[in-house]
Amino acid sequence: RIQLLANQGYAVLQMNFRGSSGYGYAFFKAGVQGWGLQMQTDVEDGTRWALAEGIADSGAVCIVGGSYGGYAALMEAARNSELYQCAASFAGVTDLRYLVGSHSRFQSYQIVREQIGKNKKVLRENSPLHLAADIDLPVLLVHGSDDRVVRVEHSRRMNKALNKYEKNVTYLEQEGGDHYLSNEEDRVEYFRTLRDFLREHLSPDSGQT
C-alpha cells in the first residue's frame, strides 16, 4: 500500500505509535490498553507535525490503514475530522468490546483482555462503531468475508452505522478474502479502489496524504 501511494505521488507518513514492535519492551508496553487513548494521540500528533512541517497540505490529507491502522483511521475521522479530507480502513477493528469478546473461546482471551482492556465503558467510548455520528468526511471500508483475524462483522456494522447517520461511505466486501490480501485479485481490487477513492477526495494538485 505504501509503495502504491508513493508511486501515485503522495507523501506518506507511516506512524510508529507506542505499542509498535521493534523499539524495545518499554515502548511496546506503553501501548497496553492504549487503543483510542495515547496510541491514538500519537497518530494525531504525527499528522499535526506533518502539517506544521509543510510535508502535508491541510486541504488534502487522508488517513489510510489496515487492521489496527484501519481502527486508528476511523477513530481519527471521528475525533479529528478537521485534519482530514477522507479516511480509508482495510479490515479495520470498529468495536473493541466485540473484538475482545470474539476471543472468549480461545486460549489468547486473557492476553487480549490485558492488551486491549477490560472496562466495557472505556472500550465502547473508544470504538468507531459508536462514534459514527461524529464522522463528517468520506469513508472507505474494505473487508474480506473470510477474515479470521478481524471478523468482517466489524466493517459490516460500521457500514450500517454510517448509513444510519447518512454519512458518505463506500463499502467493499471481498468474497472469500482474508486479513492479508493473500489473493492477487483481491489485492488489485483493493488497490484500485483505494486509488480511485483518494483521487476523488483529495485535491489533484497537492498530491499529499
Side-chain angles (χ1 to χ4, degrees):
R1 179 172 55 240
I2 295 172
Q3 291 86 348
L4 167 73
L5 296 174
N7 179 264
Q8 294 292 307
Y10 297 108
V12 180
L13 174 63
Q14 185 177 18
M15 292 300 304
N16 290 318
F17 45 81
R18 68 195 77 188
S20 299
S21 61
Y23 297 91
Y25 178 72
F27 191 77
F28 172 77
K29 188 177 180 181
V32 172
Q33 298 188 22
W35 288 49
L37 302 171
Q38 64 268 25
M39 291 171 71
Q40 194 65 42
T41 55
D42 286 343
V43 178
E44 177 188 350
D45 291 343
T47 302
R48 294 188 185 280
W49 171 84
L51 289 167
E53 291 293 315
I55 297 171
D57 184 334
S58 61
V61 181
C62 188
I63 183 164
V64 179
S67 197
Y68 170 81
Y71 163 84
L74 294 173
M75 286 295 292
E76 282 296 279
R79 290 187 173 169
N80 297 296
S81 60
E82 74 281 1
L83 294 178
Y84 308 95
Q85 278 61 60
C86 57
S89 166
F90 171 78
V93 173
T94 67
D95 187 345
L96 296 184
R97 289 181 61 182
Y98 178 62
L99 177 66
V100 174
S102 65
H103 286 79
S104 61
R105 296 183 180 181
F106 299 92
Q107 293 181 344
S108 61
Y109 178 54
Q110 292 302 325
I111 297 175
V112 172
R113 290 186 73 202
E114 291 297 327
Q115 179 70 29
I116 299 177
K118 308 172 187 178
N119 187 306
K120 294 181 178 180
K121 180 175 182 293
V122 173
L123 294 179
R124 180 183 175 86
E125 290 174 348
N126 291 291
S127 293
L129 178 65
H130 302 295
L131 301 172
D134 298 327
I135 295 178
D136 292 318
L137 46 79
V139 171
L140 171 65
L141 300 173
V142 181
H143 217 122
S145 65
D146 288 354
D147 191 329
R148 297 185 180 182
V149 179
V150 177
R151 295 179 181 176
V152 69
E153 285 300 318
H154 283 274
S155 288
R156 287 176 178 173
R157 294 176 182 179
M158 190 71 197
N159 180 51
K160 183 177 180 180
L162 289 169
N163 277 298
K164 173 184 176 181
Y165 292 106
E166 300 182 340
K167 303 298 183 176
N168 184 345
V169 56
T170 301
Y171 180 68
L172 170 63
E173 184 170 317
Q174 297 182 309
E175 183 65 30
D178 62 14
H179 193 69
Y180 307 103
L181 289 168
S182 299
N183 184 285
E184 183 177 358
E185 292 182 359
D186 290 342
R187 287 197 300 275
V188 172
E189 181 181 41
Y190 166 58
F191 290 149
R192 285 177 174 169
T193 301
L194 177 60
R195 178 199 62 188
D196 294 344
F197 179 76
L198 295 177
R199 286 179 176 176
E200 178 180 359
H201 298 294
L202 295 183
S203 168
D205 299 324
S206 60
Q208 305 290 328
T209 188

